[in-house]
Amino acid sequence: MEFKDPASYTDLSQGKIKHIGFRISVDFSTRTLQIEATYQMKEPIQGSLFLDSFKLELLKAHVNGRELAWEFDARDDILGDRLHLKGFEDDSTFTLTFRTSPEARALQWLNASQTAGGNYPFLFSQCQAIHARSIFPCQDTPSVRFTYSAEVEVPQGLVAAMAAEQVGVEEGTGQTLFRFRMPQPIPSYLFALVVGNLDFRELGPRTGVYAEPQIIDAAAWEFAENETKIIEAEKLLGPYLWGRYDLLILPPSFPYGGMENPRLTFLTPTAILGTRGQTSLITHELAHAWTGNLVTNATWQDFWLNEGWTTYAEQRITEVLEGKEVADLRSAFAEKQLIEIMQQIGMDSPYTCLKLPAERDADSFTTIIPYFKGAFFLQECEYAVGRERFDAFIQAYMASFQFQSLTTEAFLDFLKSELPEVFEKVNVHKWIYEPGLPAADAWHRPQSHLYDEVQQALDNYEQGIKPTQEQVQGWHRVQIFSFLQGLPHKIPVEDCSYFEQILELDKRNDAGHYSFFYATCVASGYQAALPRIEQFLGTVGRMLYILPIVRAMIETEWSRDFMRPLFERVRDRHHQITIHAMERLLRNAGL
Ligand code: BES
Ligand code: ZN
């Protein structure tokens, strides 16, 4: 493997971590984890080992009964601190004792008042892309995989859960000890831990949900169909190799829609709509159990191998579970969003290529481009050889690379050996290494009559004819998205209220709809909506929903100066990743 992950200090020639045994003690009063970790390497190592770390306080390093020399010998805002362990003499195991910082990027410590119940504190981790290093020293690159076991000690009354198998619980005095093991090798970004007042509800033989007691009923109802999903996903992708598939509903500040932590998907509470309407989000995270967790991108430059493949699989499973009409509607909407974001960042920007530029800050280029452009590329490959052959290819790909990480180049080699005709019919190089999208007549652009219906309403609106309530009554959730996304940047203020009313946005109470709606309100000068916008930005944590509103506020004359003070008022409600992203937008705008 001749590559270097630009987002990590790892030097693969020194050796690779194979297993870590953790003993973790959770201290809410100091907002720290005290950890002892015993590392096993794949092979004995000589001399030095570089590990990634971020603001960790190292207390002790020892190997075979002797002290190990160490220093933090490189430091970077993004990469963190390079832990240089020295003096290995053919050792394959060593132990580190350390404490995390209250500012650990992967950890969010919540006061009781920031939870649904209001009585217990809460802790959750989010390691993707490069934050595992703020919990434990590691080779924080997806090209290294390891198994682990963990003992987690938490204050009595609280429950610990991990993206791993629970193998025991012991009540102590004032403390409870939870034991876990992760027998399948994972990359560091899939390490995950949560501690809180959590209830669990069984959904099916392999599926269940964790949530605070106040929302467990709603969650159990919303996701009752998960077992069926796994069965469908297995038909496309092969056997589910992780044992259980549970969900964890997080407090509102969770910055993502979902995070595919193995065995335990982390989910935004905005996914609970009361309608089972956000099924594609679960389909997406579930599909990652194969595309991402089983077969993993080797670096974050190859992110499309995770997200493009997952979006493609999501699309295929949606076709079976929700029908082709809905799947086509989603595709057509995806293309519109893709073009919009490409235009925003520049059609010739290298960030519109599937293979992304080498970057230290792996989170800074997370856009939907690798998702949708990647899925469209794979769909072109499918068209080139037909569904039957492509489906056989998918199964072969999963089976050949399971529990491995691969680069885009390794994937292309595999594609070439299995399906050489793809290269005759599809301009693979252009899709992967060139910016923008192929010409409109050079690929199978999505066709959807449900989308066309929305487009007709948008065209009519531009001619001065507004849709009636009757016309939009039976619209699918994604048609409403498409309509809101397709509206002109700026519309008359009274039309904002009109659309809110006929689309019954308040009744549906879907944060996704409000995200598009409020961005339009801001651009349109609907100043009376400001208090509601502030309320939204203070209660929704999902970045995909709030950043577009922040961007609109910054770009619009009347709202520009409101944004910094508003941000300061809601700052405490948000995750550090979100704060970091908002800060970057504000700073770039000189605010
Ligand atoms: N793995 C991602 C979340 C992620 C990406 C975390 C990059 C950190 C860095 C997850 O699977 C995802 O894509 N979530 C999306 C939802 C999806 C349906 C588009 C999200 O959070 O919005
Ligand atoms: Zn994803």
Side-chain angles (χ1 to χ4, degrees), residues 270 273 477 480-481 484-485 496-497 499-522 526 529 532-537 539-540 542 544-550 552:
T270 63
L273 293 173
R477 175 170 185 257
I480 297 177
F481 270 122
L484 293 170
Q485 190 265 352
C496 293
S497 346
F499 291 136
E500 181 175 22
Q501 183 221 319
I502 64 159
L503 296 168
E504 300 185 306
L505 297 187
D506 60 337
K507 206 166 102 195
R508 294 175 198 268
N509 197 21
D510 185 324
H513 291 153
Y514 271 109
S515 170
F516 282 101
F517 177 69
Y518 286 144
T520 300
C521 289
V522 170
Y526 186 8
R532 291 162 64 200
I533 293 175
E534 174 156 350
Q535 159 82 8
F536 188 83
L537 295 178
T539 47
V540 175
R542 186 175 178 184
L544 187 71
Y545 288 170
I546 56 181
L547 294 183
I549 302 173
V550 173

Side-chain angles (χ1 to χ4, degrees), residues 262-540:
R263 299 174 63 103
L264 185 63
T265 281
F266 281 26
L267 210 65
T268 168
T270 63
I272 304 178
L273 293 173
T275 59
R276 295 187 181 161
Q278 206 161 155
T279 58
S280 66
L281 177 57
I282 309 284
T283 309
H284 179 97
E285 304 311 335
L286 173 64
H288 271 306
W290 291 264
T291 51
N293 299 3
L294 200 57
V295 179
T296 308
N297 53 208
T299 76
W300 299 113
Q301 292 173 259
D302 309 300
F303 189 49
W304 80 275
L305 284 179
N306 277 17
E307 298 299 345
W309 262 109
T310 297
T311 306
Y312 172 81
E314 172 196 334
Q315 181 72 3
R316 291 288 305 274
I317 297 164
T318 299
E319 197 177 305
V320 179
L321 294 177
E322 296 175 63
K324 187 155 164 43
E325 276 192 321
V326 170
D328 289 344
L329 168 62
R330 288 191 171 283
S331 279
F333 178 47
E335 190 203 4
K336 289 291 173 308
Q337 290 175 281
L338 180 58
I339 291 171
E340 189 186 15
I341 180 99
M342 282 185 171
Q343 281 166 346
Q344 258 173 38
I345 66 176
M347 275 294 182
D348 50 8
S349 158
Y351 294 99
T352 66
C353 298
L354 284 180
K355 177 84 183 188
L356 290 165
E359 275 280 0
R360 289 171 311 149
D361 190 354
D363 282 340
S364 73
F365 53 72
T366 307
T367 70
I368 56 155
I369 294 170
Y371 293 68
F372 296 146
K373 187 178 176 183
F376 287 135
F377 165 64
L378 293 168
Q379 204 171 67
E380 284 306 289
C381 298
E382 180 200 315
Y383 278 119
V385 296
R387 183 161 280 191
E388 207 175 309
R389 285 199 58 207
F390 197 69
D391 284 358
F393 170 75
I394 296 174
Q395 301 253 348
Y397 175 47
M398 290 299 126
S400 307
F401 291 96
Q402 56 173 290
F403 299 113
Q404 293 176 42
S405 307
L406 81 169
T407 59
T408 298
E409 290 66 34
F411 170 73
L412 295 182
D413 286 347
F414 186 72
L415 182 63
K416 194 153 216 161
S417 71
E418 298 287 309
L419 298 174
E421 317 89 281
V422 163
F423 288 77
E424 288 155 26
K425 297 194 181 148
V426 179
N427 189 340
V428 174
H429 190 273
K430 192 174 177 65
W431 277 97
I432 304 280
Y433 296 105
E434 291 179 27
L437 275 170
D441 59 355
W443 62 291
H444 299 76
R445 296 184 44 219
Q447 303 291 329
S448 157
H449 77 89
L450 293 178
Y451 189 88
D452 293 344
E453 202 182 297
V454 173
Q455 191 59 54
Q456 188 60 53
L458 288 165
D459 292 345
N460 290 345
Y461 177 58
E462 298 237 5
Q463 304 300 315
I465 310 160
K466 286 182 220 163
T468 62
Q469 179 143 20
E470 259 167 17
Q471 205 182 330
V472 301
Q473 209 135 52
W475 272 6
H476 188 275
R477 175 170 185 257
V478 177
Q479 285 181 296
I480 297 177
F481 270 122
S482 308
F483 182 78
L484 293 170
Q485 190 265 352
L487 281 172
H489 182 62
K490 204 173 157 181
I491 62 174
V493 167
E494 43 309 346
D495 290 0
C496 293
S497 346
Y498 176 75
F499 291 136
E500 181 175 22
Q501 183 221 319
I502 64 159
L503 296 168
E504 300 185 306
L505 297 187
D506 60 337
K507 206 166 102 195
R508 294 175 198 268
N509 197 21
D510 185 324
H513 291 153
Y514 271 109
S515 170
F516 282 101
F517 177 69
Y518 286 144
T520 300
C521 289
V522 170
S524 305
Y526 186 8
Q527 302 199 19
L530 192 57
R532 291 162 64 200
I533 293 175
E534 174 156 350
Q535 159 82 8
F536 188 83
L537 295 178
T539 47
V540 175

Side-chain angles (χ1 to χ4, degrees), residues 18 119 181 206 332 552:
K18 183 176 171 218
N119 294 319
R181 67 179 196 125
R206 286 179 288 184

Side-chain angles (χ1 to χ4, degrees), residues 204-255:
R206 286 179 288 184
T207 50
V209 59
Y210 290 89
E212 288 190 71
Q214 292 72 15
I215 53 171
I216 192 85
D217 285 332
W221 185 83
E222 194 83 27
F223 307 115
E225 288 154 2
N226 280 3
E227 196 75 34
T228 323
K229 282 216 158 123
I230 305 184
I231 294 166
E232 258 342 294
E234 284 185 309
K235 288 185 195 156
L236 182 71
L237 299 159
Y240 181 75
L241 296 175
W242 302 90
R244 295 193 56 84
Y245 181 70
D246 295 322
L247 296 179
L248 165 74
I249 314 301
L250 287 140
S253 63
F254 184 58

